[in-house]
Amino acid sequence: MSRSNPRVLSTLERAGGFASAQEVYQLMQREGQSIGLTTVYRSLQSLVNDKIVDVLRRDDGEAIYRLCGETHHHHLVCKSCGETVEIEGGAIEKWALNVGKEHGFREVGHTAEIFGLCSKC
Amino acid sequence: MSRSNPRVLSTLERAGGFASAQEVYQLMQREGQSIGLTTVYRSLQSLVNDKIVDVLRRDDGEAIYRLCGETHHHHLVCKSCGETVEIEGGAIEKWALNVGKEHGFREVGHTAEIFGLCSKC
DNA sequence: TATGGAAATGAAAATCATTTTCATTTGTGG
DNA sequence: CCACAAATGAAAATGATTTTCATTTCCATA
Ligand SMILES: [Zn+2]
Ligand SMILES: [Zn+2]
Ligand SMILES: [Zn+2]
Ligand SMILES: [Zn+2]
């Protein structure tokens, strides 16, 4: 597994909000940076593995990436415009842990996303 | 926009839970039903438009469909052996709904999975 | 029943994001 | 400088989904 190219992270920061791999690539192209699309994909993947960025899916299935805080959280995403709210999931953390333990599971983790239509859509 | 082929809906019902377009198509093939992949896609899309089925995305981006109103539940999955327990998610249902409403979202849905190591692993 | 147009169908081609391959370049310790 | 590993990226492969478009099926009406 390769390390992330720092320019990719820098570009994602500059993009603000979510950006797809293709968008990060195009942005770097426009800025005159020389980089391959493959490296952009590899770097983003590496950043996801390191939990430095979050990855979600647009409605059309394209993966979108964004810097995220270190604290564990979940997302409330608008299905239409993609607006995203970070959620501190106190209740769900306990729920997942309890359910896991009730069934004798160890090393219990979870995923959760909430989606809907935001007030503007 | 075309209407949904009733055999597609019937197959999705029979599949139980989520199924991708490709999976529905393959299932129909195996059952000896003659249908085109295009029609499967069109029918599923039409069912989504009519809000008869929900559509989500797998981690790999593939769209998966399921009947709305089918008993909603979540899964507790063993990371090692794959054993799966179906969970009635009372607490999380309310949590997701509340969080969505607090932020002015409509048509709020959610996904949630719990994973860990089962007692045998 | 015949007929004309609308809707449905599906095979094949086109799209498009993402992954894989693999040859080349770059970096680094010895 | 040399050897070797990691990084890079162009090109090809993959795979889901969409589009095209010619053909078939329906259906209302004469
Ligand atoms: Zn919105
Ligand atoms: Zn959580
Ligand atoms: Zn297990
Ligand atoms: Zn639920």
Side-chain angles (χ1 to χ4, degrees):
Chain A
M1 189 66 65
S2 66
R3 242 206 240 55
S4 165
N5 182 315
R7 286 179 296 145
V8 170
L9 177 55
S10 157
T11 304
L12 185 58
E13 280 174 353
R14 209 164 334 108
F18 284 105
S20 70
Q22 304 280 347
E23 286 164 353
V24 169
Y25 174 69
Q26 282 166 33
L27 188 50
M28 295 180 78
Q29 295 269 297
R30 278 189 227 110
E31 289 175 347
Q33 298 194 50
S34 167
I35 196 165
L37 181 57
T38 314
T39 300
V40 172
Y41 271 104
R42 274 194 287 239
S43 293
L44 289 172
Q45 206 133 343
S46 169
L47 289 167
V48 169
N49 287 339
D50 297 346
K51 303 195 196 295
I52 295 170
V53 312
D54 277 338
V55 57
L56 289 180
R57 296 263 169 197
R58 290 219 180 99
D59 272 355
D60 66 357
E62 191 173 1
I64 49 181
Y65 307 82
R66 160 184 89 161
L67 279 174
C68 69
E70 321 72 37
T71 49
H72 171 84
H73 61 259
H74 300 274
H75 293 125
L76 170 59
V77 186
C78 177
K79 282 187 279 193
S80 174
C81 70
E83 181 187 320
T84 301
V85 183
E86 291 197 349
I87 302 297
E88 300 306 320
I92 194 185
E93 312 303 319
K94 288 172 195 161
W95 172 76
L97 220 54
N98 284 336
V99 169
K101 285 185 176 171
E102 275 170 23
H103 291 81
F105 277 55
R106 290 163 288 134
E107 297 186 32
V108 177
H110 63 273
T111 63
E113 296 286 328
I114 313 178
F115 47 87
L117 292 175
C118 79
S119 50
K120 296 172 203 150
C121 293
Chain B
M1 188 67 63
S2 66
R3 234 196 241 78
S4 166
N5 182 314
R7 285 179 295 144
V8 170
L9 177 55
S10 157
T11 304
L12 184 59
E13 281 174 353
R14 210 165 332 110
F18 284 104
S20 70
Q22 304 280 348
E23 286 164 355
V24 169
Y25 174 68
Q26 282 166 32
L27 188 50
M28 295 180 77
Q29 295 270 297
R30 275 189 230 110
E31 289 174 347
Q33 297 195 50
S34 168
I35 196 165
L37 181 57
T38 314
T39 299
V40 173
Y41 271 104
R42 275 194 286 240
S43 293
L44 289 173
Q45 204 131 346
S46 170
L47 290 168
V48 170
N49 287 339
D50 297 347
K51 302 197 196 292
I52 294 170
V53 313
D54 276 337
V55 57
L56 289 182
R57 296 265 169 193
R58 290 218 179 101
D59 273 354
D60 67 357
E62 191 173 2
I64 49 180
Y65 306 83
R66 94 172 155 184
L67 279 177
C68 290
E70 198 169 294
T71 321
H72 173 86
H73 62 258
H74 299 273
H75 292 125
L76 170 59
V77 186
C78 177
K79 282 186 281 193
S80 174
C81 70
E83 182 187 322
T84 301
V85 183
E86 290 197 352
I87 302 297
E88 300 304 322
I92 193 186
E93 311 304 319
K94 288 172 194 161
W95 173 76
L97 220 54
N98 283 338
V99 169
K101 284 186 176 171
E102 275 170 22
H103 290 82
F105 278 57
R106 290 164 289 134
E107 297 187 30
V108 177
H110 63 273
T111 63
E113 296 287 327
I114 313 178
F115 46 86
L117 292 176
C118 78
S119 50
K120 296 174 204 148
C121 294

